[in-house]
Amino acid sequence: MAAQPEPTATMPPATADSPQVQALVSYLEHEAQPMIVLDPDYNILAANTAYQRQFGTADRPYLGHKCYRVSHHYDLPCDQAGEHCPMKRAFELKGPDRVLHIHHTPRGPEHVDVELRPILDGEHRVVAYVERLTTVRHASARPRQAGLVGRSAAFNAALEAVQRVARSQLPVLLLGESGTGKELFARAVHEASDRHDGPFVVVDCSGLPETLFESELFGHERGAFTGAQHRKQGLVETAAGGTLFLDEIGDVPLGMQVKLLRLIESGTFRRVGATETQQADFRLVAATHKPLLQMVAEGSFRQDLYYRIAAFPIHLPPLRDRSADIPMLVDSFLQRGARTGQRIAVQAAAMARLQAYDWPGNIRELRNVLDRARLFADDGVVRPEHLPDWLNAAARPDAATPAPAPGDAELRRLLADGRLSRREMAARLGLSERTLYRRLKTLGLG
């Protein structure tokens, strides 16, 4: 957000019709991103057209309401409800604060990147706040057909790091176990960057023998080696204007690491067999499941290369640290593999087993288990007996007790409130009506 002009005279507390708020609204109307003005007591005083278009509806009042009630449906500020409150932090800093939250929107729960800036008077007192809201399009807080899905604290921390670094040009290093979704996170960095219209090029470093690595990466000239019948463009050239994703960079042969370092440091390269140097133009994202610092100590990975690629490391959580996301991931995977019009449900006892398992193979292993279970669910319901024997044997003894799914507490609150129809309730929770009815039945509320 552009820096706000600081008043030079003492200002009274802001109100919706005060001159300073009206001036702010006039200024914010030129902003393409949704923005609101808040007073120090969390009340929404004004909103620009972009906010009204994206977050406001006729049955969704917000002016004069508390921001935490509108965005979170909380009765208390975020910090008192167990979340980071940017207003509290901005007040303490007398400066901006930024956080990734899950907001309730007309479309259901969504990840929203929130940036809050205080407006100070001439005596350095906070009289109002301006909040910019950016919806995260490359991840979903609801089940969906493709891409990143999750809303657990561990998932949100990784997603927030992506949002922080995406618009910069810093190299990003994704660290995590196999199967944690490193390519999806790399693509999220690309899609949130200024290079999102350019290509996203994947280099599988583990699948390339050393004899082919240089040719694949840099390309080659005709006749450069036996079998080089034509000039070939390398993946570095293919990534021009976009992002180059080096997957499993820990597997790059030591002999190639120095050439990779030269590419990153100089931004230039030569095709194999060529004499002229070419300029590279890509954003680097790398990933590995290997302990690179240990490899540096052992001499199998260059220290100088490590420091070039690790400017902004992001640790991706294993699935065992985000078990609350499993019901949403399960729903997403079953949707992705279903035939048109087909819906597959998971019995509560089966879901409890899925949440009780540690998933050493992470999301990839979960997807494989669900692809198998789907074949046994002739009536459209996955039961414990449809899961592999080894998974049932490895589940904790209490796995037969259904684990609470994310959103159960919110579901109970909406039912007790009684103001929404089942259709409206499903939309609020980001569920289909059919999924809502199944969840109500499981909880004994239907």
Side-chain angles (χ1 to χ4, degrees), residues 2-11 20 24 93-96 117-127:
Q4 300 294 332
E6 290 192 12
T8 56
T10 301
M11 299 171 64
Q20 60 266 33
L24 274 174
L93 295 173
K94 297 297 188 290
R117 287 179 179 266
I119 305 301
L120 308 176
D121 68 8
E123 298 180 10
H124 211 59
R125 295 179 302 191
V126 177
V127 294

Side-chain angles (χ1 to χ4, degrees), residues 142-146 328-339 342-344 374 430 432 435:
R142 295 167 285 165
R144 74 173 183 182
Q145 290 288 333
M328 192 185 313
L329 289 165
V330 168
D331 199 357
S332 297
F333 288 140
L334 292 177
Q335 283 183 30
R336 293 173 194 181
R339 297 187 300 273
Q342 181 189 31
R343 291 291 303 180
I344 298 180
R374 183 202 316 276
S432 68
T435 300

Side-chain angles (χ1 to χ4, degrees), residues 65-115:
H65 291 257
K66 304 290 187 184
C67 58
Y68 50 83
R69 286 184 181 145
V70 173
S71 297
H72 298 279
H73 297 172
Y74 291 159
D75 294 324
L76 296 168
C78 297
D79 61 304
Q80 297 178 43
E83 294 201 49
H84 174 100
C85 178
M87 184 178 290
K88 179 182 178 183
R89 184 67 172 155
F91 178 82
E92 294 168 349
L93 295 173
K94 297 297 188 290
D97 190 43
R98 184 177 170 188
V99 66
L100 184 82
H101 274 174
I102 295 177
H103 281 190
H104 289 275
T105 78
R107 298 161 298 282
E110 293 182 333
H111 296 98
V112 177
D113 191 345
V114 179
E115 182 182 3

Side-chain angles (χ1 to χ4, degrees), residues 196-218:
H196 57 85
D197 290 330
F200 176 76
V201 177
V202 180
V203 182
D204 182 3
C205 299
S206 64
L208 287 174
E210 186 169 2
T211 53
L212 291 178
F213 195 95
E214 187 174 8
S215 172
E216 287 295 311
L217 200 61
F218 303 135

Side-chain angles (χ1 to χ4, degrees), residues 17 22 38 68 72 101 114 117 151 172 194 196 214 231 251 258 283 303 306 325 344-346 358 384 387 407 429 441:
D17 56 357
Q22 294 304 311
L38 302 162
Y68 50 83
H72 298 279
H101 274 174
V114 179
R117 287 179 179 266
R151 56 187 301 172
V172 176
D194 295 333
H196 57 85
E214 187 174 8
R231 170 186 284 183
D251 291 336
V258 65
R283 164 71 172 289
Q303 184 181 55
Y306 172 79
D325 288 337
I344 298 180
V346 179
D358 278 343
L387 302 176
L429 294 167
K441 187 173 181 181

